[in-house]
Amino acid sequence: MIDQSNNIVFFGGAGVSTESGIPDFRSVDGIYHQKYDYPPETILSHSFFESHTAEFYEFYRDKMLYLDAKPNPAHRKLAELEQAGKLSAVVTQNIDGLHQKAGSKKVFELHGSVHRNYCQSCGKCYDATYMKESISIPHCSCGGIIKPDVVLYEEPLDDHVVQGAVRAIENADMMIVGGTSLNVYPAAGLLRYFGGQYLVIINRDSTPADRSASLLIQEDIGKVMAKIKI
């Protein structure tokens, strides 16, 4: 299928990064099943960020910033496919920046990135290391509170990013979906824009789109992608 395609788009979720040591959210051992004073969905909401900023950052630094993580075979193979002229874009729900670290150039980050952080007062940008090393609530040199450029619950996706992802998916002749349950909306809804020839789904567990797949592989995505010959 890859040999017959020249405009591939990859759509991925948390399962792409679990092999890099970053836990996902919804598997049995994911962080949604661990114990905290508040549910993770509550902590990672806009209203909680506003009302319990210190508690938000305690969780965020502990569970969202994996700055030592390295790209795994899935990330590296996607970068190779792009360099070979086969893959036109990566659309990801992840915020870890590992696709770019692996060498991918065209990446649509639907939920933002931990590597971009902005002062809410003056707009100054800070990197993830600054956030990781900060204590309690991270403040800008101007005194304003710094907020990660990640999409929290109750916040909309960035229109520019979504439009770019939609255009890429609409123009694709093949779409590879990997490491995602396809249960997180509105991101998962982007699949409806795909009208190409091949839809491949690589995920350990079943997804709502399995019946529509040209090829379904229920394995770890890194192991599968590593076997692709370009």
Side-chain angles (χ1 to χ4, degrees):
M1 292 177 180
I2 290 174
D3 288 344
Q4 296 172 15
S5 305
N6 294 298
N7 194 346
I8 303 170
V9 166
F10 178 81
F11 180 92
V16 177
S17 292
T18 52
E19 291 170 62
S20 293
I22 299 178
D24 68 5
F25 280 70
R26 289 177 170 77
S27 66
V28 174
D29 55 350
I31 66 173
Y32 274 26
H33 292 269
Q34 299 175 20
K35 304 284 186 179
Y36 294 97
D37 290 341
Y38 301 90
E41 294 96 331
T42 300
I43 298 173
L44 295 174
S45 67
H46 178 81
S47 54
F48 191 89
F49 174 83
E50 293 290 335
S51 62
H52 297 76
T53 311
E55 289 94 331
F56 169 89
Y57 273 112
E58 182 180 3
F59 179 90
Y60 181 77
R61 275 188 289 265
D62 187 35
K63 294 298 179 185
M64 306 302 288
L65 293 178
Y66 291 86
L67 304 187
D68 294 329
K70 293 178 172 55
N72 62 54
H75 298 107
R76 294 194 293 269
K77 187 62 66 174
L78 290 167
E80 288 178 26
L81 285 166
E82 183 182 46
Q83 290 161 11
K86 284 286 188 179
L87 184 125
S88 58
V90 169
V91 180
T92 181
Q93 300 172 83
N94 296 337
I95 59 175
D96 50 49
L98 289 180
H99 286 293
Q100 290 93 330
K101 191 178 286 189
S104 290
K105 304 298 183 187
K106 193 71 170 289
V107 182
F108 294 101
E109 297 173 306
L110 296 174
H111 296 153
S113 172
V114 300
H115 297 284
R116 298 186 300 269
N117 306 274
Y118 299 102
C119 172
Q120 295 187 107
S121 297
C122 73
K124 184 177 179 180
C125 183
Y126 290 84
D127 63 17
T129 301
Y130 181 89
M131 304 299 281
K132 184 75 171 179
E133 295 175 351
S134 64
I135 298 172
S136 188
I137 301 172
H139 285 86
C140 174
S141 55
C142 79
I145 295 175
I146 304 168
K147 183 179 182 296
D149 186 20
V150 297
V151 179
L152 302 177
Y153 288 103
E154 305 166 354
E155 293 180 342
L157 301 186
D158 182 280
D159 283 341
H160 179 73
V161 175
V162 171
Q163 289 169 11
V166 168
R167 282 194 298 270
I169 293 170
E170 285 178 333
N171 293 325
D173 54 11
M174 178 180 183
M175 189 167 181
I176 302 174
V177 177
T180 173
S181 64
L182 293 178
N183 286 320
V184 178
Y185 283 82
L190 296 181
L191 263 68
R192 71 178 183 271
Y193 293 101
F194 177 67
Q197 186 172 8
Y198 298 123
L199 174 63
V200 177
I201 297 178
I202 308 169
N203 197 54
R204 285 186 304 179
D205 303 316
S206 59
T207 80
D210 286 357
R211 290 185 177 180
S212 302
S214 310
L215 176 63
L216 176 64
I217 305 175
Q218 292 185 313
E219 299 283 351
D220 290 329
I221 186 166
K223 295 177 182 177
V224 176
M225 297 294 287
K227 296 177 180 179
I228 294 174
K229 299 287 191 282
I230 302 175

